[in-house]
Amino acid sequence: MSRVFGGYAATGLVLFFIGDVAAHARARVLHNLAFPALYLGLAAVSTVHMVQLATRT
């Protein structure tokens, strides 16, 4: 059960950082876009990992 909550948390992080990257792009603050994009990538990798753990029995 806790693995499922980990997947939900990781998915929430991905959605948060997608919004963060979109807000930076919309405000045209591109000089520091690499940092949220890096964290978005790390959150995406952790989401994939947590989903794989949750589906494993």
Side-chain angles (χ1 to χ4, degrees):
M1 187 70 170
S2 64
R3 291 181 180 175
V4 174
F5 290 131
Y8 290 152
T11 303
L13 277 175
V14 168
L15 293 175
F16 174 79
F17 284 117
I18 286 173
D20 193 21
V21 169
H24 274 81
R26 184 173 175 171
R28 297 178 195 227
V29 182
L30 304 177
H31 63 276
N32 63 349
L33 187 65
F35 294 109
L38 173 70
Y39 290 126
L40 173 61
L42 290 172
V45 169
S46 69
T47 300
V48 170
H49 179 66
M50 290 305 295
V51 168
Q52 286 178 351
L53 285 178
T55 57
R56 195 184 314 173
T57 56

